[in-house]
Amino acid sequence: MSSQPDAVVVGSGPNGLAAALRLSAAGLRVRVVERAATPGGGMRTEELTLPGYRHDTCSTVHPMGAAAPFFREFDLASRGVRLLQPEVAYAHPLDGGRAAVARRSLDETAEGLGADARAYRRLFEPLVEHGDDVIEFFLTSQLRRPPTKSVAQVLTFVVNGLPDVRWLARRRFATEEAQALLAGAAAHGMLDLARPLTAALGMVLGMTAHHAGWPLVEGGSQSLADAMVRALEEQGGEVECDHEVTDLREFEGVPAVLLDTTPGAFVRMAGDRVHEGYRRWVARYKHGPGVFKIDWVLSEPVPWTNPEVRRAGTIHLAGTLEETLAGEAAPAAGRLTDRPYVLAVQPTVVDPSRAPAGGHVFWAYVHVPHGSDVDMTGAIENQVERFAPGFTDTVVARATKNAVEMEAWNPNHVGGDISNGEASFRQMVARPVPRWNTYKTPVRGVYLASAATPPGPAVHGQCGDNAARLALREVFGVREAPPLRPALT
């Protein structure tokens, strides 16, 4: 692109690329600039350990990639992106060789919960039946417009989802298995599970297991990023890597600039063009706990005691509801624990292309206090060993990244917070500042388009898409955003 673009997007994560694709669909000349050497943000896949072993550096399981309105419109299959569904979406082992498992089939999942089968169906059946409408409302309305479709189901979701998951699990379920299954899903939100809204996190992730699944991208999450970049380039856009932006004056004369960055990065890049009131609100924006992550190469699959767990894509290692609550309360309070909640993924269960023949990759992370540089390898591997005796004997190689290193790798992960801001009730409604239009910044033509805006974290592209739609209306006078362009055949 030799001439000045109509729009620049800073950052090439899922939201930045989604914004660029929506702008490009309107016929605009779009340039994406990326600090890293490879586009994708959290959707990168690298050989972190040994040659031929491909590890997702951050996001790897994509329930929202399968369910979100943006990616349904983008049509992943037509772009050559294959979503691989594990037989078991996620599993939650318990002591004594027991485990609760969430399968794609709601009925099969409920039947496995024994005395809680009926209660599980009663909670999730209405949501699964109207899954697209429920997800569309929460990803596109910013919670500021009443639902127009499946109103009863959305309102029921709100009523059940506003409290904490501890309350919902105890109120709805009697068995340790069902309670742990719900709490393990809710813990993806990186919050103290005694806080409001954590019930909603558990419900929406539980619902997606039966609605769209918890798939992995064949070959690694980088394949999804590469497909988005190809689509943009086919439409005349461009992605420039190894380009760090420190001052927005670099884009003087560009009508629209969209930022897939943290709010703090925007304030630094904008300098004295940001008024003191907005600057104070950004200073109050809270980033949550960080993560400590391990990627392993294994000589054989993880030897889980429960055979059902061996078929799962995602595993939540925390024990009972009470243990899960304690495991997440610690990092939220700035403490470490020797029995953390461990979120683990075994990609080669469904995607052998991630490793040479006969090899296996496995990764896990724990939530840790914000900015922690403590090595949690021992605590993580002890939790795996608890439910898979002999695991450490299968380890061939490992690579670790603490919370400080996570931020150095991706500046959007402030203090190791991979959610770009705590997903608390207040910060989900008013994200990142309490104003009606949170994508719009005080600088004319500049918009926030990252997970620091509604609807928040996860690979769904909606933050970028929502910001791009606003820019099209305000800057270019395009009242109705055009549909994404179909894949070239």
Side-chain angles (χ1 to χ4, degrees):
M1 187 182 296
S2 56
S3 58
Q4 178 172 279
D6 300 307
V8 167
V9 177
V10 179
S12 67
N15 288 305
L17 292 174
L21 286 165
R22 184 65 68 187
L23 296 169
S24 180
L28 302 179
R29 296 167 297 172
V30 182
R31 177 180 298 150
V32 177
V33 295
E34 167 59 50
R35 169 183 175 271
T38 307
M43 301 185 298
R44 280 180 272 174
T45 306
E46 300 174 359
E47 292 184 343
L48 299 174
T49 52
L50 301 175
Y53 291 87
R54 296 177 58 76
H55 306 272
D56 288 330
T57 52
C58 187
S59 66
T60 190
V61 179
H62 298 284
M64 288 301 170
F70 176 84
F71 282 113
R72 293 204 309 269
E73 183 184 350
F74 184 64
D75 190 3
L76 295 174
S78 73
R79 315 278 180 176
V81 178
R82 288 189 63 205
L83 297 181
L84 305 177
Q85 298 279 4
E87 181 182 341
V88 172
Y90 60 97
H92 194 117
L94 294 164
D95 291 323
R98 297 173 296 149
V101 299
R103 300 177 182 276
R104 184 71 182 275
S105 166
L106 186 148
D107 285 337
E108 290 179 10
T109 302
E111 288 167 8
L113 296 174
D116 278 323
R118 184 178 177 186
Y120 190 88
R121 286 193 186 94
R122 193 162 56 243
L123 180 62
F124 285 107
E125 266 182 347
L127 302 178
V128 174
E129 184 179 350
H130 300 271
D132 284 347
D133 295 340
V134 172
I135 289 172
E136 183 175 346
F137 171 72
F138 285 98
L139 292 188
T140 63
S141 75
Q142 302 173 52
L143 304 179
R144 293 170 188 167
R145 298 191 304 271
T148 58
K149 295 181 285 187
S150 303
V151 176
Q153 286 71 29
V154 171
L155 292 179
T156 299
F157 183 98
V158 171
V159 170
N160 284 301
L162 282 177
D164 60 81
V165 75
R166 173 183 56 183
W167 173 87
L168 183 63
R170 290 172 176 165
R171 177 173 178 266
R172 288 278 184 164
F173 302 128
T175 66
E176 287 187 344
E177 286 81 358
Q179 291 178 350
L181 196 66
L182 180 65
H188 282 244
M190 300 179 65
L191 289 173
D192 183 338
L193 295 177
R195 294 182 66 175
L197 201 66
T198 53
L201 294 169
M203 289 170 63
V204 73
L205 285 173
M207 182 266 286
T208 56
H210 312 306
H211 171 62
W214 282 28
L216 289 80
V217 177
E218 184 176 42
S221 295
Q222 186 73 54
S223 299
L224 175 54
D226 291 346
M228 297 177 80
V229 170
R230 281 196 306 272
L232 180 64
E233 292 174 343
E234 288 168 358
Q235 295 164 194
E238 65 178 2
V239 178
E240 179 185 347
C241 292
D242 294 313
H243 183 155
E244 183 171 7
V245 178
T246 58
D247 193 329
L248 290 179
R249 287 176 295 186
E250 174 183 343
F251 307 119
E252 206 71 52
V254 176
V257 178
L258 284 77
L259 306 175
D260 186 4
T261 68
T262 66
F266 155 68
V267 168
R268 291 190 294 274
M269 289 186 284
D272 59 10
R273 286 182 287 175
V274 175
H275 58 75
E276 189 57 32
Y278 190 93
R279 191 181 293 272
R280 281 198 302 268
W281 275 112
V282 168
R284 296 188 188 109
Y285 184 67
K286 185 176 180 181
H287 287 274
V291 301
F292 179 95
K293 180 173 181 283
I294 307 180
D295 288 277
W296 292 278
V297 168
L298 307 180
S299 60
E300 60 185 74
V302 181
W304 303 107
T305 301
N306 188 294
E308 297 270 41
V309 183
R310 300 176 190 180
R311 293 188 281 273
T314 302
I315 306 98
H316 303 144
L317 304 171
T320 63
L321 168 65
E322 298 305 323
E323 289 180 283
T324 306
L325 295 173
E328 286 300 88
R335 294 183 285 104
L336 294 169
T337 173
D338 58 1
R339 277 210 167 186
Y341 163 87
V342 177
L343 195 162
V345 179
Q346 37 193 18
T348 38
V349 164
V350 289
D351 186 9
S353 73
R354 307 282 188 106
H360 300 271
V361 295
F362 181 52
W363 74 248
Y365 69 65
V366 293
H367 303 147
V368 295
H370 185 85
S372 171
D373 62 358
V374 174
D375 188 332
M376 295 292 288
T377 300
I380 293 174
E381 294 191 347
N382 285 343
Q383 283 287 63
V384 180
E385 278 278 342
R386 174 183 173 187
F387 303 106
F391 163 71
T392 52
D393 294 335
T394 72
V395 174
V396 175
R398 66 172 64 81
T400 65
K401 198 179 266 102
N402 65 34
V404 174
E405 292 164 336
M406 289 294 289
E407 180 175 357
W409 172 76
N410 186 338
N412 279 10
H413 299 164
V414 176
D417 172 14
I418 59 175
S419 297
N420 202 342
E422 184 183 78
S424 64
F425 178 77
R426 183 186 72 79
Q427 287 199 171
M428 292 300 283
V429 175
R431 188 176 181 88
V433 298
R435 59 191 306 180
W436 182 256
N437 196 322
T438 58
Y439 306 103
K440 193 172 181 177
T441 75
V443 179
R444 183 181 178 86
V446 177
Y447 300 85
L448 271 177
S450 68
T453 63
V459 177
H460 45 58
Q462 293 299 146
C463 306
D465 193 23
N466 294 346
R469 289 171 183 269
L470 179 63
L472 286 172
R473 289 196 301 272
E474 292 192 342
V475 178
F476 302 102
V478 179
R479 305 308 303 173
E480 291 293 330
L484 299 177
R485 298 181 188 180
L488 295 179
T489 56

